[in-house]
Amino acid sequence: MNRQNIKRQVILSISILVSGRTECTEKCIASLEHLRKAVPCELILTDTGCPTEMQDWLKQKADKVLQFAWCDDFSAARNVGLRAARGQWFMFMDDDEWFEDTTQIEAFFLSGEYRRYQSASYVVRNYANMEGTIWRDIHLTRMTLRRPDTRFFYPIHESLWPLLEPEKYLEDYAHHYGYASADPEVQMAKRKRNLGILLSAIGEDPHCMKHYLQAVAEYYAMDEWDAAARMADTGIANCDPSREENAVHIDGLYAASTRMRLRGKKSLEVVKTGKAYLEKPDLSDLAKASICSDLAVACGELGEYEACLKYLQEYLRWKTYFKEHRELWLRQETVILDSCFEHFQYRKAMGWGFAAALSVQDAQTAESLLS
């Protein structure tokens, strides 16, 4: 097959923002080597500020190296690579991520299965420490069938749009140490940078729920519970339900509003807001599960043991349901909601449930919780 035919038949365009972090960029590109050999690919690197001495190396590693003058807008940078892409499908990642394995992604394309889907996600493993012992896995939609109207939007925590179903959920995962640092000041500086961009974006578009939810997450990471709760409430008050992209994020804000109050030791407010949100007719099932877990803890803290057990049973019912309906869980997952069934949250709710069962002398329930 000649070079022109290969050029015509690019299946996957892989686009990466590179900012000069040499070591992790090398890991990132190296982790794609097997995928690029197995599947007809092109690699596009968008340079957002690499040093001059890195330029030749980038050109050796990629099919295209594009220049972008950084302006605090990740979508604008991503769209440069997207516009240059020729593949049937488009995939994006960061230079501080690298794959453990790309077997499932390769099989998705080599088997022809990709023809039955419009988008696909893989797992990003976000580490909380440099030792790599604490992490959170989340499926992120990082691949899409490329269309004339495909674009990135949101200046930070950018998303592809439109994302059409069906979506394939792949289990290959990329390591991401972007928010892990041995220096707390470095972590805080990054959070404040993100928050600054988000607050500016909210000022320009006060009806975009994703900006509010991501701002909640930044305050959460800085242990500023009251500010996080206020941000969630402000987002809820400003929601425009006619905007399709707001649907999943408003559910995250309802869950965040109760979770931030719980973290801030405001159990009475958790009960008041949580009960009110559970009455929302369009609330997602995952948001219901998250709120029920927070209500179980808050009711336990208030000594309302029967209510604690009631909400715990609802939470456990949803846990079982989503274990059997995993793709539905992944479709509803977003910031805050991604921790709904994490070990810490599960153990806290279960602990209060067990204490409540003992307090009301319900031996049968206590035994079932222990088992």
Side-chain angles (χ1 to χ4, degrees):
M1 185 179 292
N2 63 41
R3 184 176 293 275
Q4 284 187 332
N5 285 336
I6 293 174
K7 188 175 181 179
R8 245 191 337 263
Q9 296 175 4
V10 173
I11 294 177
L12 178 64
S13 295
I14 304 171
S15 183
I16 306 172
L17 299 185
V18 291
S19 58
R21 297 175 284 192
T22 306
E23 183 179 353
C24 59
T25 302
E26 289 178 356
K27 283 185 179 180
C28 177
I29 293 175
S31 75
L32 296 167
E33 185 175 349
H34 198 274
L35 171 62
R36 293 174 67 194
K37 288 179 179 178
V39 177
C41 291
E42 64 172 352
L43 177 61
I44 303 169
L45 302 179
T46 300
D47 177 3
T48 64
C50 294
T52 304
E53 58 269 20
M54 197 174 171
Q55 299 294 326
D56 288 340
W57 181 82
L58 292 177
K59 291 174 183 177
Q60 293 171 18
K61 294 294 182 179
D63 298 287
K64 299 173 185 173
V65 178
L66 311 173
Q67 300 299 315
F68 178 79
W70 184 245
C71 60
D72 282 344
D73 190 329
F74 285 88
S75 282
R78 298 279 189 200
N79 282 325
V80 169
L82 177 60
R83 286 192 294 268
R86 295 183 298 109
Q88 297 175 44
W89 275 65
F90 180 85
M91 168 179 151
F92 71 100
M93 58 189 303
D94 291 324
D95 63 354
D96 60 355
E97 300 172 350
W98 59 91
F99 279 101
E100 180 71 19
D101 188 277
T102 55
T103 300
Q104 288 198 18
I105 298 175
E106 293 166 26
F108 178 65
F109 289 105
L110 293 174
S111 67
E113 187 182 16
Y114 72 95
R115 297 188 182 95
R116 305 201 303 270
Y117 291 89
Q118 298 286 320
S119 59
S121 66
Y122 59 79
V123 177
V124 175
R125 176 162 290 182
N126 291 302
Y127 290 93
N129 62 354
M130 294 305 295
E131 295 77 21
T133 58
I134 304 172
W135 68 80
R136 174 178 292 166
D137 286 348
I138 184 169
H139 270 85
L140 294 178
T141 307
R142 290 288 190 86
M143 291 185 280
T144 185
L145 179 68
R146 195 168 60 85
R147 304 177 355 154
D149 58 343
T150 301
R151 64 183 175 88
F152 285 94
F153 69 131
Y154 303 133
I156 191 168
H157 303 297
E158 62 281 11
S159 297
L160 279 166
W161 189 265
L163 285 176
L164 304 178
E165 293 187 344
E167 179 175 356
K168 176 69 175 180
Y169 296 94
L170 301 165
E171 297 303 322
D172 290 339
Y173 68 90
H175 301 279
H176 182 229
Y177 282 83
Y179 290 96
S181 174
D183 186 348
E185 291 186 6
V186 171
Q187 288 180 312
M188 185 62 70
K190 192 165 188 177
R191 295 295 181 185
K192 288 181 177 178
R193 178 210 67 179
N194 290 355
L195 190 57
I197 297 173
L198 288 163
L199 293 178
S200 177
I202 289 170
E204 293 178 10
D205 182 1
H207 305 295
C208 174
M209 295 301 100
K210 181 169 182 178
H211 293 329
Y212 288 102
L213 187 56
Q214 293 291 351
V216 168
E218 298 299 341
Y219 281 124
Y220 187 12
M222 294 187 287
D223 295 343
E224 295 187 21
W225 319 121
D226 290 345
R230 287 195 299 271
M231 182 60 66
D233 294 344
T234 304
I236 291 167
N238 283 284
C239 183
D240 178 357
S242 68
R243 289 173 57 162
E244 180 184 350
E245 72 275 14
N246 277 341
V248 66
H249 303 300
I250 187 63
D251 288 329
L253 284 171
Y254 287 132
S257 181
T258 56
R259 179 63 53 80
M260 297 309 114
R261 286 175 164 83
L262 186 66
R263 292 289 186 267
K265 308 292 185 183
K266 297 182 177 179
S267 300
L268 283 172
E269 291 185 21
V270 173
V271 173
K272 180 181 177 180
T273 57
K275 285 182 176 179
Y277 293 149
L278 286 179
E279 297 299 318
K280 298 282 183 184
D282 297 328
L283 188 69
S284 74
D285 292 339
L286 189 57
K288 292 175 186 175
S290 179
I291 292 171
C292 281
S293 73
D294 289 337
L295 283 170
V297 174
C299 288
E301 291 174 342
L302 292 169
E304 298 175 5
Y305 299 126
E306 294 288 356
C308 171
L309 290 171
K310 168 192 165 185
Y311 289 116
L312 176 62
Q313 293 300 335
E314 276 296 291
Y315 171 65
L316 295 177
R317 183 177 69 82
W318 285 120
K319 189 173 188 294
T320 300
Y321 174 80
F322 279 113
K323 186 176 181 180
E324 297 169 354
H325 299 83
R326 190 166 183 273
E327 287 200 5
L328 180 60
W329 173 12
L330 294 175
R331 282 201 296 272
Q332 295 182 16
E333 192 177 61
T334 187
V335 175
I336 305 301
L337 292 179
D338 59 4
S339 64
C340 181
F341 302 117
E342 277 194 345
H343 196 53
F344 172 79
Q345 185 68 17
Y346 171 72
R347 283 177 62 101
K348 193 169 185 179
M350 288 288 283
W352 274 111
F354 183 67
L358 292 178
S359 296
V360 299
Q361 298 182 343
D362 185 343
Q364 183 176 358
T365 297
E367 185 178 355
S368 69
L369 292 175
L370 276 178
S371 65

